[in-house]
Amino acid sequence: MGRICVASHHRSLQDLLDAQEFRDLARRDEFLIELRLDQYADLSLDKFSNACAELGLENVVVTYRSSLEGGHNLKASREQRVAYLSAAARLGVAYVDVELTTLDENKLLRNPLFASRGDKPNPLFIFSYHDFGGLPTLAYLSEIRRRCERLGADIVKIAASAKTMAETLPLAQLMSEREGWTRPFMGIAMGEAGLWSRVLGPIFPHAAPFGFARGESAPGTAPGQLSWRQLHERYRYHEIGPGTPVYGVIGNPIAHSLSPRMHNAALRAAGLPGAYLPFRVEDAAFFVQQLAPLLNVRGLSVTIPHKEAVQAVCAEIDPLAQKVGAINTLARREHGWFATNTDARAAAGSLEAALGGPGSLRGKTVLIIGAGGAARAVGFGVKDLGAEVLFHNRTAERAEKLAHEVGGRSVSKEELTQPGFEATAVVNTTPLGMHPKVDGTPLEKNELPGGSLVFDTVYNPQRTKLLQLAEDRGLKTLEGLAMFVAQGAAQFELFTGAKAPCDVMEQVVREALAVRTPS
Ligand code: NAP
C-alpha cells in the first residue's frame, strides 16, 4: 500500500502541533507527515524532538531544505542543516530527506549523517534533487539517479518543474525503466502538467513507498498540487499499483473539468480499480502516442481544443463520430485507439428518453439553436434516431452549412416565432445562460414554440434562464446535466466494459455544481 506524506506548511512547530488535521493524520497508517525544518520560526532541537515524539517517530519524514533548493530559511548554514538532519537520524524518524547537493558538499564518508544511523533500521535516507528551472533531459535525470544510488540512497527522489506536458516525458521514461536500477524512485513533475506524477507513482517499477500531498488547510494551492484528501479519496492512491488502469480527460484548460470527479466516483462505486486524471495537454497527438502508453492509459475523454486533432492518431473511428467530425472519447484496443463521440448519442438518447423512450424521435422535428460543436453532435445524433432537424444560429451561414451537412434545414428567427411554427423539441447549444452570465437566453418566453420540450445543453447552472422561461410557459424541460452524465456513462462503459453507476455520477456532478454556483 502506498502511503501519502502530507507536507507541513506551518510557519512554526507549535502551529504544526496545534493543527488537529495533522495530529489526526499522524494517527492513521496510510499517512506520513513531512517536517520542513527550514520553515519553522521556533525551531530548536528540543522542540524538534518533542514534535517528532508527539507525531510518532515512525510517521515522520524530516527535511531541512537549503535555500538553493527552495528552502525558506536563507540564514541556515549547511552545518546547521546537517546537524538537524543528524539529530533526526539519531532519533530514528522514518525517513530523512537530504539533497544531493548537501551530500556532495559534505563528502559522503565524513558525513555525520551516516554515522548517526548506526545499525538502526530507521531512518531510511532519501537523496533528493530539485530543479525549479525546468525538467532536465532523460540523460541528465538518469545521471542524477545513478549518482544517488552510488552514494547509498535508500530512496531516490527527483522533483523538477514542468510547464508543458511534453516536458514531463523524460520523467515518465525514467520512471518506466525496469532494468538497471536498484533503489525505489520517486519522480515529481511540479506544476499542473505534472499532476500525473503525483498520482501515478505506484504504477511504475521501483516505486517509492509513498507520495506527497499538501494539507487541506494549506494556503495558496496551485493546479497540480493535490491535497491528501483528493489523493486518498478521489484517486484512491493507496489502491494504485503496477497494472492499475489509468483513464483521463485531455484538454486545455482542464483544471475545472468535472469529469475526474464523476469518473473516479463511478470507478469506486462499481468496485473497479483505476484512476481517472485531468491531463492538461497542449499537443494531443504527442500525448496519445508518447505519454499515454508509459502511463498505462486505457481510455480518454477528449475536450476543447483537441476534439478534431485526435482523429489523426486513431486506428478506428466510429461512423457517427466521423459524421460529426469530432471525437470526445478514445478507448485503447489491441490494434490501437478506437475513437467515438458519446456526446451525439448522449444528447439524442436523453432527448428520446424524455420524449417517451425508443422511437419517440422518429419523424419528429427538433429545432437546434447554435451551429458549433455541440450543435453538430446533437444534430447528427437526433438525425440518427430519425428526427427532422432545423438549425437556427446567430450567424445564419453557419446554420445553413451545418443543415446541409446533417440533412436538415436552417430557419430564421422570423420563421420560428410565427404562430404556426411547431417543433417537438428545442435544444440550446449556445453558451447563452452559462455561468457567470446566467441571465442570457437564446429565446425569450414568447419566442418559444408552444408544445415543445425545451432542452438546454448548458449545465452550469443546472436550471438555466431558458429552462425557467420554458417552465413559466408550462413547457416540459430537460437539463444539460442529463447529457453530461449520459456521455460520461457511455465512456465509462466503453472504458471498463461494466455498467455505469449513473445515479452516483449524477449525484457527484450535482454536488460539485452546487458548490461552484451556490444559489
Ligand atoms: P462553439 O463550437 O463555440 O459554438 C457556440 C455556438 O453558440 C455558435 O453557434 C455561436 O454562434 C453560438 N453563440 C455563442 N455566443 C452567442 C451569443 N452571444 N449569441 C448567440 N449565439 C451565440 O461551442 P460548443 O462546443 O458548441 O459548446 C456550446 C455549449 O454547449 C457550451 O457552452 C456547453 O454549455 C454546451 N455543451 C454541453 C454539453 C453537455 O454535456 N451538456 C456538451 C458539450 C457542450 P456563431 O456561430 O454566430 O458564433
Side-chain angles (χ1 to χ4, degrees):
M1 178 186 76
R3 296 172 85 184
I4 297 173
C5 179
V6 189
S8 151
H9 55 275
H10 308 90
R11 289 286 169 249
S12 71
L13 281 164
Q14 195 55 52
D15 284 354
L16 166 62
L17 292 179
D18 288 344
Q20 195 59 45
E21 177 191 1
F22 280 74
R23 295 187 82 94
D24 291 344
L25 288 170
R27 279 197 284 272
R28 295 172 63 178
D29 289 345
E30 313 94 294
F31 296 96
L32 292 159
I33 307 293
E34 185 192 42
L35 267 59
R36 282 279 307 263
L37 302 189
D38 51 284
Q39 291 178 168
Y40 305 133
D42 60 350
L43 183 66
S44 71
L45 276 172
D46 277 354
K47 283 202 169 122
F48 166 56
S49 50
N50 174 48
C52 291
E54 293 260 329
L55 296 168
L57 290 170
E58 67 287 5
N59 304 319
V60 169
V61 178
V62 175
T63 189
Y64 199 144
R65 197 69 56 75
S66 90
S67 56
L68 293 176
E69 300 205 25
H72 289 252
N73 186 350
L74 304 181
K75 290 193 199 128
S77 67
R78 187 195 313 147
E79 288 68 30
Q80 192 178 345
R81 287 187 284 112
V82 171
Y84 271 98
L85 295 173
S86 306
R90 275 196 304 278
L91 285 170
V93 300
Y95 300 94
V96 172
D97 179 337
V98 197
E99 298 123 348
L100 187 55
T101 47
T102 300
L103 280 170
D104 276 353
E105 288 161 2
N106 277 274
K107 300 285 179 292
L108 188 66
L109 290 177
R110 284 185 282 113
N111 196 317
L113 272 170
F114 297 94
S116 24
R117 169 142 86 169
D119 300 331
K120 287 183 289 200
N122 279 347
L124 293 178
F125 281 102
I126 303 163
F127 291 175
S128 63
Y129 171 87
H130 304 90
D131 194 334
F132 296 93
L135 236 152
T137 60
L138 177 59
Y140 193 82
L141 291 172
S142 301
E143 177 49 32
I144 294 165
R145 184 172 179 180
R146 201 164 295 121
R147 227 158 81 210
C148 290
E149 289 205 348
R150 243 189 352 249
L151 290 171
D154 295 308
I155 297 170
V156 179
K157 174 181 140 196
I158 295 179
S161 300
K163 288 193 189 62
T164 64
M165 187 57 79
E167 283 177 43
T168 71
L169 180 66
L171 193 65
Q173 289 170 323
L174 182 63
M175 290 166 90
S176 307
E177 287 177 5
R178 262 169 217 291
E179 310 295 331
W181 303 109
T182 57
R183 302 295 183 193
F185 179 72
M186 188 187 299
I188 301 170
M190 294 182 281
E192 187 182 5
L195 183 140
W196 65 259
S197 64
R198 298 187 182 268
V199 182
L200 300 181
I203 71 167
F204 294 102
H206 310 290
F210 64 87
F212 281 95
R214 62 173 173 82
E216 283 292 309
S217 49
T221 64
Q225 271 186 331
L226 296 169
S227 75
W228 62 265
R229 199 181 286 282
Q230 286 170 321
L231 205 50
H232 184 60
E233 293 176 9
R234 183 176 305 168
Y235 296 108
R236 292 183 293 162
Y237 184 81
H238 51 289
E239 291 177 24
I240 297 176
T244 297
V246 175
Y247 312 100
V249 53
I250 57 171
N252 190 12
I254 205 63
H256 288 90
S257 171
L258 293 173
S259 294
R261 288 177 200 224
M262 181 169 76
H263 279 275
N264 283 313
L267 287 166
R268 177 197 283 263
L272 293 171
Y276 182 108
L277 275 64
F279 294 109
R280 199 203 64 202
V281 165
E282 295 79 14
D283 179 343
F286 171 86
F287 180 81
V288 171
Q289 290 174 320
Q290 309 266 335
L291 260 160
L294 296 177
L295 305 185
N296 199 27
V297 175
R298 308 273 179 88
L300 287 169
S301 311
V302 182
T303 188
I304 293 166
H306 302 311
K307 289 188 171 191
E308 274 115 52
V310 290
Q311 294 182 67
V313 297
C314 300
E316 187 189 346
I317 304 179
D318 166 62
L320 180 59
Q322 253 168 19
K323 279 200 252 174
V324 176
I327 305 298
N328 84 329
T329 311
L330 292 175
R332 200 162 93 193
R333 300 279 182 259
E334 259 176 37
H335 61 284
W337 292 96
F338 167 73
T340 186
N341 185 317
T342 63
D343 275 338
R345 287 199 184 86
S350 306
L351 198 51
E352 196 180 50
L355 287 168
S360 58
L361 271 172
R362 192 155 298 284
K364 302 288 167 39
T365 303
V366 175
L367 168 65
I368 297 172
I369 316 285
R376 287 186 74 84
V378 178
F380 279 107
V382 297
K383 180 80 183 173
D384 214 43
L385 295 183
E388 300 294 326
V389 194
L390 304 178
F391 290 95
H392 169 72
N393 189 42
R394 176 176 63 180
T395 312
E397 302 81 64
R398 286 188 79 192
E400 274 159 30
K401 188 166 176 288
L402 183 55
H404 180 71
E405 285 182 56
V406 175
R409 191 164 70 80
S410 76
V411 291
S412 65
K413 192 69 159 278
E414 289 68 40
E415 185 179 344
L416 70 89
T417 50
Q418 289 291 316
F421 182 85
E422 282 184 7
T424 302
V426 176
V427 186
N428 173 41
T429 67
T430 76
L432 289 166
M434 192 163 78
H435 183 77
K437 295 183 181 168
V438 295
D439 284 333
T441 176
L443 293 176
E444 294 303 330
K445 192 160 133 185
N446 60 353
E447 293 174 334
L448 287 165
S452 297
L453 180 145
V454 178
F455 171 24
D456 200 340
T457 65
V458 171
Y459 57 87
N460 185 15
Q462 291 159 57
R463 294 305 288 173
T464 59
K465 172 93 179 278
L466 177 68
L467 295 184
Q468 285 162 25
L469 295 177
E471 224 168 51
D472 293 349
R473 277 270 311 257
L475 303 178
K476 280 214 274 183
T477 60
L478 177 62
E479 293 180 354
L481 195 81
M483 173 181 166
F484 182 70
V485 172
Q487 62 80 29
Q491 293 181 331
F492 182 91
E493 293 180 0
L494 207 61
F495 295 161
T496 65
K499 188 156 169 39
C502 293
D503 292 352
V504 171
M505 296 168 87
E506 182 175 330
Q507 178 67 19
V508 167
V509 179
R510 276 194 198 283
E511 281 167 13
L513 288 173
V515 174
R516 274 190 202 176
T517 50
S519 51

